[in-house]
Amino acid sequence: MEVAVVILNWNGEKHLRRFLPSVVENTPEQYARIVVADNGSTDGSLCFVRESFPNVGIIELDKNYGFTGGYNKALSQIDADYYLLLNSDVKTPKGWLSPLVARIESDERIAAVMPKIKSLDNPDMFEYAGAAGGLLDILGYPYCRGRVASYIERDNGQYDDAAEVFWASGAAMLVRSEVYRSLGGLDEDYFAHMEEIDFCWRAKNSGMSVWCEPASEVFHLGGGTLSNDSPHKLYLNFRNGLATMFKNLPTAVLIPVMLLRMTMDGVIGCGYLVSGKVDRFVAVIKAHLSFYGMISALIKKRKKLSHPIGIPTGMTRSFLGFMVMKQRKNAN
């Protein structure tokens, strides 16, 4: 059994200098190896890795293929039983990998598993990008155990149970290589953002499951490539969210749910406009226009996918209801 811990890098020398030492120190050599997959960096990233960590493998790509294309092209060159997709701005403590491997090996139906992801700057708090496992609202808006919208919880052990979730964060996600290959990897049309949710949904639609294993935890800086306030990041999230819904929803609910989602996006966009955030309003409009241009290709992709009748585990029917419950819990 072999695990390939693969760190995708693009001009991230400062992150590699800060975080790669913890990965090298705390990744067990007896069954795991570390690979830096470089998306055509022009900084000193690869010189640093070669000089400081000669035992770390390097895959050089000729240009920036984004998160999706970069991982697909790199992983196609790696032979391992499992791939661990790891962001370059993640600190890994001692013992972080073994619980993930134990969880995924406990059931052959598990396609992917993630650790608890906590804030590097505030280690008692969960981190936005994944927290203790991803969930999805019926309208396709993602949230997490430990993070709803911009509200982030303190880790008080409330999610210390291993649980099936809807999606695992691409910041730290262990995946069966055979499942990754059989599903065609990440959707390269996404470039970045929402790609792990789409991947996990496709895995669920094929009869697999996705888990969070809290016996493992890592610490994520976040915002290493695009700031959370970036209009371009907002554009990618809205566009790719629509694409994910269109590709994966059960046929019986596809049209009504898509109409509701697009209406809600419009409401959110108008909210940005009223509050003077014109660049965010424009990002939402651009996302929808881009989505319309993708529909022909998405129809072809949808025809190739499995679409069970029911809603997958981890997809809640009422995001607003969930938020109300959280507010009541916090009030108490």
Side-chain angles (χ1 to χ4, degrees):
M1 186 274 293
E2 185 179 39
V3 178
V5 178
V6 186
I7 301 170
L8 189 66
N9 174 70
W10 180 66
N11 290 335
E13 180 183 357
K14 65 177 182 179
H15 290 322
L16 292 174
R17 287 185 178 276
R18 183 176 181 185
F19 298 103
L20 185 56
S22 74
V23 182
V24 172
E25 180 181 357
N26 297 313
T27 298
E29 295 181 358
Q30 58 268 35
Y31 64 83
R33 58 191 170 106
I34 303 167
V35 178
V36 170
D38 189 74
N39 250 337
S41 293
T42 56
D43 65 356
S45 297
L46 296 187
C47 289
F48 164 72
V49 175
R50 288 191 179 101
E51 292 175 1
S52 302
F53 299 100
N55 292 331
V56 171
I58 292 176
I59 293 176
E60 292 187 64
L61 302 177
D62 61 329
K63 65 178 183 179
N64 183 7
Y65 290 94
F67 189 91
T68 54
Y71 264 123
N72 284 353
K73 287 174 173 55
L75 297 184
S76 69
Q77 303 178 47
I78 297 174
D79 183 20
D81 299 294
Y82 303 105
Y83 302 137
L84 193 295
L85 282 63
L86 187 69
N87 276 17
S88 62
D89 59 348
V90 171
K91 181 179 180 180
T92 58
K94 185 176 180 180
W96 72 284
L97 185 56
S98 297
L100 300 177
V101 174
R103 175 58 57 186
I104 204 168
E105 292 212 308
S106 70
D107 186 344
E108 62 183 10
R109 295 184 304 104
I110 298 178
V113 60
M114 63 169 283
K116 284 198 297 188
I117 301 179
K118 298 171 70 173
S119 169
L120 180 74
D121 294 331
N122 193 347
D124 292 333
M125 305 293 290
F126 287 106
E127 207 275 324
Y128 186 93
L135 303 172
L136 200 68
D137 170 57
I138 188 61
L139 296 184
Y141 296 113
Y143 62 105
C144 308
R145 299 195 310 162
R147 190 271 293 173
V148 178
S150 60
Y151 173 75
I152 299 174
E153 296 181 30
R154 184 177 300 277
D155 181 11
N156 294 316
Q158 67 271 41
Y159 302 114
D160 278 355
D161 56 315
E164 182 175 357
V165 293
F166 192 91
W167 54 274
S169 172
M173 177 172 68
L174 182 68
V175 185
R176 290 184 186 275
S177 61
E178 61 182 356
V179 173
Y180 192 93
R181 291 191 295 268
S182 68
L183 293 176
L186 304 175
D187 189 328
E188 294 191 24
D189 288 339
Y190 282 39
F191 190 79
H193 299 294
M194 297 289 291
E195 70 287 320
E196 74 267 61
I197 298 178
D198 169 65
F199 176 83
C200 290
W201 198 342
R202 285 186 280 130
K204 281 180 169 288
N205 281 348
S206 68
M208 305 292 285
S209 63
V210 178
W211 283 70
C212 177
E213 176 49 73
S216 170
E217 63 180 30
V218 299
F219 299 89
H220 187 210
L221 176 63
T225 303
L226 281 177
S227 165
N228 289 331
D229 295 327
S230 165
H232 185 58
K233 184 171 185 176
L234 189 72
Y235 157 78
L236 289 172
N237 279 328
F238 272 83
R239 184 198 68 174
N240 295 346
L242 289 169
T244 298
M245 298 285 284
F246 191 90
K247 284 171 58 179
N248 295 293
L249 274 169
T251 302
V253 299
L254 176 62
I255 293 177
V257 170
M258 287 299 299
L259 290 175
L260 284 171
R261 166 61 188 260
M262 294 169 79
T263 300
M264 184 59 69
D265 280 3
V267 172
I268 294 171
C270 289
Y272 287 139
L273 184 61
V274 170
S275 61
K277 299 176 181 177
V278 178
D279 54 348
R280 295 192 177 194
F281 170 75
V282 172
V284 175
I285 297 299
K286 287 175 61 178
H288 277 244
L289 292 175
S290 182
F291 165 70
Y292 300 149
M294 298 170 66
I295 287 179
S296 177
L298 290 170
I299 289 174
K300 294 178 182 178
K301 292 178 183 180
R302 181 176 171 83
K303 289 180 178 178
K304 297 179 181 179
L305 301 177
S306 302
H307 295 97
I309 296 175
I311 298 297
T313 300
M315 190 173 198
T316 59
R317 296 183 180 275
S318 175
F319 178 63
L320 294 177
F322 181 84
M323 292 188 71
V324 169
M325 285 191 293
K326 295 291 290 186
Q327 290 173 350
R328 288 176 178 172
K329 178 180 178 182
N330 293 337
N332 294 331

